[in-house]
Amino acid sequence: GQSHGDNVAAFFRHSDGKTFFIIDSMANLKMDMLDVKGTILHEIGVHFGRNILTKTEWTNVKKAMLNLWTNGDPRITKALNTAMDVSGMDRVIAVPADDIALMATDMHFDEIFDEGLAYFATQNPQDIKTGPSKALWQTIQQAVRRFFKNLLLSFNPSFKGKGANITSDDIAL
């Protein structure tokens, strides 16, 4: 087994794509519903969601994050700086301006983008799809919907959902 500290409420295991929520830790941390929502968005919406994005979609998400950061978006800056602090790297602001655009296509920065996006979700669960970041989250949402539509089709080939625009109305229990 894997050991995690008492302050770890959840984690995503990249080796097998499994997400774990540690209910006792959540209770000990006195997490409220927004904290839980942020944790779910962090682990499932971002870590799982990133794995179902195409390479182009992931690159576009990274470019959008960089655009938000270079335009001074305080929420994305805080999230990327948190990711840098947790990873032990220097803050994003130390990157030379000429190299910023290259970060979106350099896979060496993927972990920072992945964690930065995850921290953005954790830090802003109440209004994740508002303001300048709205389009970024809509891209992820559509990829997740596409994934679940394809999953539904694997169980029910006669499913008639349209594109990736599946809604709860498309799922009959």
Side-chain angles (χ1 to χ4, degrees):
Q2 225 172 349
S3 176
H4 293 276
D6 291 338
N7 64 343
V8 175
F11 63 96
F12 179 81
R13 193 165 58 197
H14 289 276
S15 63
D16 60 9
K18 291 184 179 179
T19 301
F20 298 86
F21 293 92
I22 306 163
I23 305 304
D24 290 345
S25 289
M26 290 177 156
N28 291 338
L29 293 168
K30 298 182 183 353
M31 294 176 69
D32 62 20
M33 287 310 293
L34 275 179
D35 295 330
V36 172
K37 180 180 179 182
T39 300
I40 291 169
L41 288 168
H42 180 121
E43 300 300 342
I44 295 176
V46 176
H47 294 315
F48 172 79
R50 179 208 164 186
N51 288 331
I52 62 175
L53 292 173
T54 65
K55 183 177 179 179
T56 299
E57 287 169 332
W58 176 234
T59 299
N60 288 341
V61 165
K62 294 186 293 183
K63 287 178 180 177
M65 290 174 69
L66 283 170
N67 187 47
L68 290 167
W69 175 69
T70 57
N71 287 324
D73 183 275
R75 297 187 311 165
I76 208 71
T77 300
K78 179 181 177 185
L80 285 171
N81 284 337
T82 301
M84 293 293 233
D85 289 345
V86 169
S87 72
M89 294 180 73
D90 292 328
R91 292 187 172 269
V92 175
I93 55 173
V95 176
D98 293 344
D99 295 338
I100 290 173
L102 298 175
M103 290 173 65
T105 56
D106 186 338
M107 66 181 217
H108 292 99
F109 291 101
D110 276 4
E111 183 178 340
I112 296 303
F113 284 110
D114 184 55
E115 285 301 326
L117 194 59
Y119 282 113
F120 184 97
T122 303
Q123 295 164 352
N124 303 284
Q126 70 284 1
D127 58 357
I128 197 166
K129 290 193 298 184
T130 62
S133 65
K134 183 177 181 178
L136 180 146
W137 290 102
Q138 287 174 326
T139 298
I140 295 168
Q141 180 180 20
Q142 285 302 313
V144 170
R145 286 182 173 174
R146 182 182 63 239
F147 170 83
F148 282 108
K149 177 191 177 216
N150 291 334
L151 182 64
L152 280 173
L153 284 169
S154 71
F155 289 107
N156 180 6
S158 64
F159 176 70
K160 302 291 184 210
K162 296 179 184 175
N165 295 319
I166 176 177
T167 68
S168 56
D169 294 336
D170 295 317
I171 305 169
L173 298 176

